């Protein structure tokens, strides 16, 4: 049963969850790319992999392991380095991807790949750290607000993920030949690379 304090917390949770998830980031760029190249159905594993990976990190942070970043800043630096390196790899993979039924066609991200990607996605860590610290209640209501935060975050952000996939699907209408699809993939790769300076900053 929702307490008065949780009801008061709900607008802040919703506003933060939606605004943080709708803004461009590695997950959203990859979802738009996947929507344009593989469609909604083949991107479902990617979507739910993101949700599963972020929920696992969310729970780990709530259990107190998020303080590792504060105690060991080198861990944060390592995470950032891994994230940037992997995003460069993904950008190259996107540029080299082929449309149609080519033998070496790039496949959509799997559930496991999407979940594991959250481990090195700094935007995911930043969002979840805010949820764990600024959007939980102190004292006896900590765990009730924490669990409430997990539920609200997932319910609010799932439609946001589909929004980015649908953007990609909509763009596919204009990508009716190999050249345009290739150009779109290059733009997606460049946008993914442009998130790197934001991460480093």
């Amino acid at each position: 049963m929702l307490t008065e304090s949780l009801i008061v917390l709900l607008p802040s949770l919703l506003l933060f969850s939606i605004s943080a998830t709708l803004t461009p980031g590695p997950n959203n760029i990859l979802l738009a790319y996947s929507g344009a190249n593989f469609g909604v159905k083949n991107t479902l594993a990617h979507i739910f992999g993101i949700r599963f990976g972020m929920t696992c990190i969310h729970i780990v942070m709530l259990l107190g392991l998020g303080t590792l970043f504060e105690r060991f800043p080198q861990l944060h630096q390592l995470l950032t380095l891994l994230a940037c390196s992997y995003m460069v790899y993904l950008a190259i993979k996107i540029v080299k991807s082929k449309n149609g039924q080519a033998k070496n066609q790039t496949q959509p991200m799997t559930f496991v790949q999407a979940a594991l990607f959250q481990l090195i996605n700094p935007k995911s860590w930043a969002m979840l750290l805010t949820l764990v610290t600024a959007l939980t209640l102190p004292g006896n209501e900590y765990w009730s607000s924490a669990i409430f935060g997990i539920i609200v975050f997932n319910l609010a952000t799932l439609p946001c993920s589909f929004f980015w996939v649908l953007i990609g699907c909509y763009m596919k209408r204009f990508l009716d030949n190999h050249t345009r699809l290739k150009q779109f993939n290059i733009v997606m790769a460049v946008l993914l690379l442009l998130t790197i300076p934001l991460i480093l900053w």
Side-chain angles (χ1 to χ4, degrees):
M1 184 176 180
L2 292 180
T3 63
E4 184 178 347
S5 54
L6 289 180
I7 294 173
V8 171
L9 185 63
L10 180 59
S12 298
L13 275 171
L14 285 172
L15 182 62
F16 172 79
S17 299
I18 293 172
S19 60
T21 308
L22 278 179
T23 53
N27 280 333
N28 293 337
I29 292 168
L30 292 172
L31 286 173
Y33 160 78
S34 187
N37 285 268
F38 309 113
V40 176
K41 183 178 179 181
N42 291 324
T43 308
L44 289 176
H46 188 166
I47 293 172
F48 291 109
I50 291 172
R51 299 270 56 81
F52 179 78
M54 292 190 74
T55 300
C56 289
I57 297 172
H58 198 161
I59 293 170
V60 167
M61 282 188 164
L62 288 169
L63 292 172
L65 297 182
T67 56
L68 283 175
F69 278 157
E70 298 176 5
R71 294 183 181 180
F72 305 102
Q74 299 86 353
L75 184 61
H76 184 270
Q77 293 170 2
L78 177 62
L79 174 69
T80 302
L81 180 62
L82 287 173
C84 294
S85 301
Y86 189 64
M87 281 191 280
V88 170
Y89 164 76
L90 286 176
I92 294 171
K93 196 174 179 181
I94 288 171
V95 169
K96 289 184 176 180
S97 65
K98 301 176 182 179
N99 62 331
Q101 299 300 319
K103 183 178 180 180
N104 296 321
Q105 181 183 3
T106 303
Q107 298 299 311
M109 193 173 281
T110 66
F111 178 91
V112 173
Q113 288 172 332
L116 291 176
F117 179 62
Q118 305 319 303
L119 292 173
I120 59 167
N121 183 356
K123 184 181 178 183
S124 295
W125 285 90
M127 283 192 292
L128 295 172
L129 193 58
T130 301
L131 283 169
V132 169
T133 55
L135 293 170
T136 51
L137 300 173
N140 295 330
E141 293 187 297
Y142 175 76
W143 278 109
S144 60
S145 66
I147 294 170
F148 185 62
I150 292 175
I151 295 170
V152 171
F153 182 70
N154 278 291
L155 290 177
T157 56
L158 188 59
C160 298
S161 295
F162 276 101
F163 172 77
W164 280 93
V165 176
L166 291 173
I167 286 179
C169 291
Y170 177 78
M171 291 299 297
K172 189 175 183 179
R173 297 169 54 189
F174 305 97
L175 309 174
D176 54 358
N177 61 56
H178 176 72
T179 301
R180 287 183 182 176
L181 183 60
K182 186 72 174 177
Q183 291 171 344
F184 174 80
N185 289 345
I186 291 173
V187 170
M188 290 295 100
V190 170
L191 288 175
L192 186 61
L193 290 175
L194 287 175
T195 64
I196 293 178
L198 297 176
I199 290 170
L200 295 175
W201 179 73

